[in-house]
């Protein structure tokens, strides 16, 4: 690409954001937010899909596909000595929160 002012602006913003996300506490807080968002989604999706009984199977299939794809992405990038990107770690935290919340919903329905 050409070295335009817009390209320079986007590159500088990306490098500043990358430096901001390299801080371990900010990284941990973003991963925690992703985990809690997964817990929220794991409660909200089955509840809304359960209201209209037509979407139960489709919703469950989409959640299983999301879980399997995110596991494939997370565990495929496991190389020795290379840290994972923040986006991949947040995706895995979202998957963990979603799975945990679905187990909690199942226990609530079983009791």
């Amino acid at each position: 690409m050409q070295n335009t002012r817009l390209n320079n602006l986007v590159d500088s913003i990306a490098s500043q954001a990358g430096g901001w996300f390299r801080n371990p506490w900010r990284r941990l807080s973003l991963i925690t937010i992703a985990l809690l968002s997964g817990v929220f989604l794991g409660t909200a999706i089955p509840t809304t899909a359960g209201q209209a009984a037509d979407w139960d199977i489709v919703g469950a299939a989409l959640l299983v596909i999301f879980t399997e794809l995110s596991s494939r992405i997370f565990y495929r990038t496991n190389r020795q000595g290379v840290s994972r990107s923040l986006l991949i770690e947040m995706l895995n935290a979202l998957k963990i929160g979603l799975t945990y919340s679905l187990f909690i919903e199942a226990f609530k329905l079983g009791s």
Side-chain angles (χ1 to χ4, degrees):
M1 276 204 263
Q2 293 180 352
N3 195 14
T4 62
R5 284 186 284 174
L6 181 61
N7 260 351
N8 291 338
L9 178 67
V10 169
D11 289 340
S12 68
I13 290 174
S15 67
Q16 287 177 356
W20 191 79
F21 289 137
R22 274 189 219 105
N23 185 339
W25 286 106
R26 290 184 185 130
R27 188 177 183 94
L28 183 64
S29 67
L30 286 173
I31 291 172
T32 304
I33 289 170
L35 180 77
L36 294 175
S37 297
V39 170
F40 171 73
L41 286 175
T43 304
I45 291 173
T47 303
T48 55
Q51 293 295 321
D54 302 336
W55 293 100
D56 287 342
I57 296 171
V58 175
L62 289 175
L63 290 176
V64 168
I65 289 170
F66 168 74
T67 303
E68 292 298 323
L69 286 176
S70 63
S71 292
R72 178 172 288 222
I73 290 169
F74 184 75
Y75 292 114
R76 181 180 55 192
T77 60
N78 189 10
R79 289 177 240 138
Q80 297 293 336
V82 177
S83 64
R84 293 185 176 97
S85 71
L86 177 64
L87 186 63
I88 291 175
E89 286 187 10
M90 287 176 61
L91 182 68
N92 190 47
L94 184 78
K95 176 194 70 163
I96 291 170
L98 183 75
T99 306
Y100 174 72
S101 181
L102 288 175
F103 273 107
I104 296 299
E105 289 291 319
F107 284 134
K108 287 194 294 190
L109 290 175
S111 62

